Amino acid sequence: MIQLRKNIAEMAGYVPGFQPEDAASYIKLNTNENPYPPSPQVIDAIAKEAGEGLRRYPDAASRLAREEAGRLYGFDPSWIIMANGSDEVLNNLIRAFAGEGEEIAYVHPSYSYYGTLAEIQGARVRTFGLTEQLEPAGIPDAYACRLFFLTNPNAPLGFTYTQRYIAELAGRLSGVLVVDEAYADFADENSLDLVRSLDNVVVTRTFSKSYSLAGMRLGMAIARPEVIAALNKIRDHYNLDRLAQAAAAAALSDQEYFLHCVTRIKETRGWFSAALEKIGYQVIPSSGNYVFATPPDRNGTRVYQGLYDRKILVRHFTDPKLAHGVRISIGTREEMERTVQALRELEA
Ligand SMILES: Cc1ncc(COP(=O)(O)O)c(C=O)c1O
């Protein structure tokens, strides 16, 4: 008889966004991928690396990618760890800081995978809801938790917290505040200065969205060297393969291409949000590469299904706090025009 750990047997497991086998036959706006290809320099760097050198292990310290990130963000590489997707570093933060029965917390709704990772670890999970003004409700003035995950910009709603609020929250916690900046490249602000000035703030980033590299699995954390050293003890020693390391360094160094794609996505986001409002949808102003939109009848399932029938995939969450709307990733201008057309038909 196979005997699982009790918490593994009891947990449900995370369900990622639907990845259809025939993805090319859909307008795919359900997992916040980038509609533009990775930088040509990234493709070149991967191609150069995909040769006989693959018989050798990669650099265990991902030095080139960390140096490139350090130059870009103004940190010594000892403040940076590269990860096999930001999910890896979120997992390792929990493994480093939250033991069995210890508490981690996050805002609901946000990225529920934090809860899944904590359950695997046997840590306790506490969530804090949002007020009507989209402010976290009920966080104690002095709060003893091991880790607090703050998704900024919020996913799936798209709003941001001010840096002042984030600093104030960090001051209330006896544990570590992890600012999950998966979408910060599409926002006006980020918390890198708080990593420098406060000793309990960690920032995590991903290459899956703004760098068009979801398929490569690349992320990173920026934190004090003591935290990075702890995360280095925990990770798989060769967590990034040679192709991923080459891709990360090339992606970070080609800022011109990166800025061009991000700017286009932000422009399309503005156009799409206004178009949705014109057909009667409520749209939360978004700082991510997606918008959360609520139809006039507050029936997210209907909109999801109607778009699905027209070969447009968006994300609908059954969670009662989110079921009234849908999260729509920002694709190309043409994809979003076709989505607006489909929504007009649905609301006609
Ligand atoms: C808020 C948030 N954090 C982290 C991730 C995970 O990113 P990665 O692809 O780097 O594992 C996602 C992915 O959708 C996300 O939405």
Side-chain angles (χ1 to χ4, degrees):
M1 180 62 181
I2 292 172
Q3 286 232 308
L4 291 170
R5 279 167 59 210
K6 189 165 171 294
N7 51 333
I8 304 298
E10 285 170 2
M11 66 184 274
Y14 183 77
V15 184
F18 176 47
Q19 301 291 352
E21 271 178 31
D22 54 341
S25 68
Y26 289 88
I27 294 181
K28 192 171 175 306
L29 307 175
N30 68 330
T31 46
N32 296 345
E33 289 145 336
N34 197 307
Y36 303 113
S39 151
Q41 291 181 24
V42 169
I43 310 288
D44 278 357
I46 294 172
K48 279 205 192 92
E49 201 60 42
E52 76 87 31
L54 288 179
R55 69 197 170 82
R56 302 273 186 219
Y57 281 108
D59 172 18
S62 297
R63 256 174 296 241
L64 281 182
R66 283 171 45 236
E67 279 164 17
E68 204 60 60
R71 255 194 299 281
L72 181 61
Y73 301 125
F75 284 90
D76 184 84
S78 59
W79 290 61
I80 296 167
I81 186 169
M82 302 303 296
N84 188 7
S86 65
D87 283 344
E88 186 205 9
V89 84
L90 296 171
N91 188 10
N92 286 340
L93 281 162
I94 291 181
R95 291 169 72 205
F97 286 99
E100 185 106 14
E102 291 179 327
E103 186 157 304
I104 72 111
Y106 65 96
V107 171
H108 175 75
S110 72
Y111 188 43
S112 61
Y113 192 49
Y114 313 129
T116 307
L117 293 170
E119 282 177 55
I120 295 169
Q121 191 60 15
R124 270 185 300 124
V125 179
R126 183 162 167 194
T127 56
F128 295 92
L130 290 168
T131 63
E132 293 271 297
Q133 289 73 40
L134 300 175
E135 281 158 8
I139 302 173
D141 287 344
Y143 179 30
C145 64
R146 304 293 300 175
L147 283 169
F148 194 114
F149 292 93
L150 192 74
T151 320
N152 192 45
N154 177 278
L157 299 176
F159 69 88
T160 53
Y161 306 93
T162 63
Q163 293 309 302
R164 198 172 160 173
Y165 174 79
I166 296 171
E168 196 254 321
L169 176 61
R172 281 197 255 165
L173 305 177
S174 59
V176 171
L177 177 61
V178 180
V179 187
D180 179 345
E181 293 196 343
Y183 301 99
D185 288 327
F186 304 101
D188 296 333
E189 288 189 322
N190 63 58
S191 291
L192 292 179
D193 280 344
L194 295 184
V195 174
R196 290 186 188 90
S197 60
L198 301 174
D199 60 12
N200 66 336
V201 175
V202 172
V203 159
T204 61
R205 293 278 177 99
T206 178
F207 290 67
S208 299
K209 320 293 178 180
S210 51
Y211 285 98
S212 309
L213 285 169
M216 202 76 223
R217 311 304 300 128
L218 276 168
M220 69 180 128
I222 302 153
R224 303 210 152 236
E226 311 86 89
V227 173
I228 298 296
L231 293 171
N232 272 323
K233 284 192 206 166
I234 296 171
R235 70 176 165 85
D236 286 354
H237 27 274
Y238 298 121
N239 63 337
L240 254 64
D241 63 51
R242 283 177 172 269
L243 306 187
Q245 292 189 31
L252 292 167
S253 77
D254 191 357
Q255 283 299 297
E256 194 181 327
Y257 181 87
F258 161 83
L259 286 170
H260 178 67
C261 294
V262 166
T263 305
R264 278 211 280 179
I265 290 169
K266 285 162 80 172
E267 277 165 14
T268 308
R269 177 182 74 197
W271 174 84
F272 181 64
S273 303
L276 287 179
E277 283 175 348
K278 274 191 211 130
I279 50 176
Y281 278 53
Q282 270 176 20
V283 184
I284 300 173
S286 175
S287 298
N289 65 337
Y290 49 88
V291 295
F292 192 85
T294 305
D297 66 353
R298 300 180 65 79
N299 186 343
T301 313
R302 175 186 64 85
V303 176
Y304 171 83
Q305 193 58 48
L307 290 176
Y308 184 82
D309 294 343
R310 289 163 177 78
K311 290 278 188 187
I312 299 173
L313 264 186
V314 300
R315 189 89 190 253
H316 177 252
F317 299 91
T318 51
D319 184 303
K321 291 235 160 75
L322 299 168
H324 57 277
V326 288
R327 188 196 68 191
I328 308 177
S329 308
I330 302 299
T332 61
R333 173 72 181 240
E334 196 216 334
E335 287 173 325
M336 302 326 281
E337 281 173 5
R338 284 167 61 188
T339 304
V340 169
Q341 186 51 37
L343 290 170
R344 275 205 205 100
E345 284 168 30
L346 285 179
E347 303 306 331

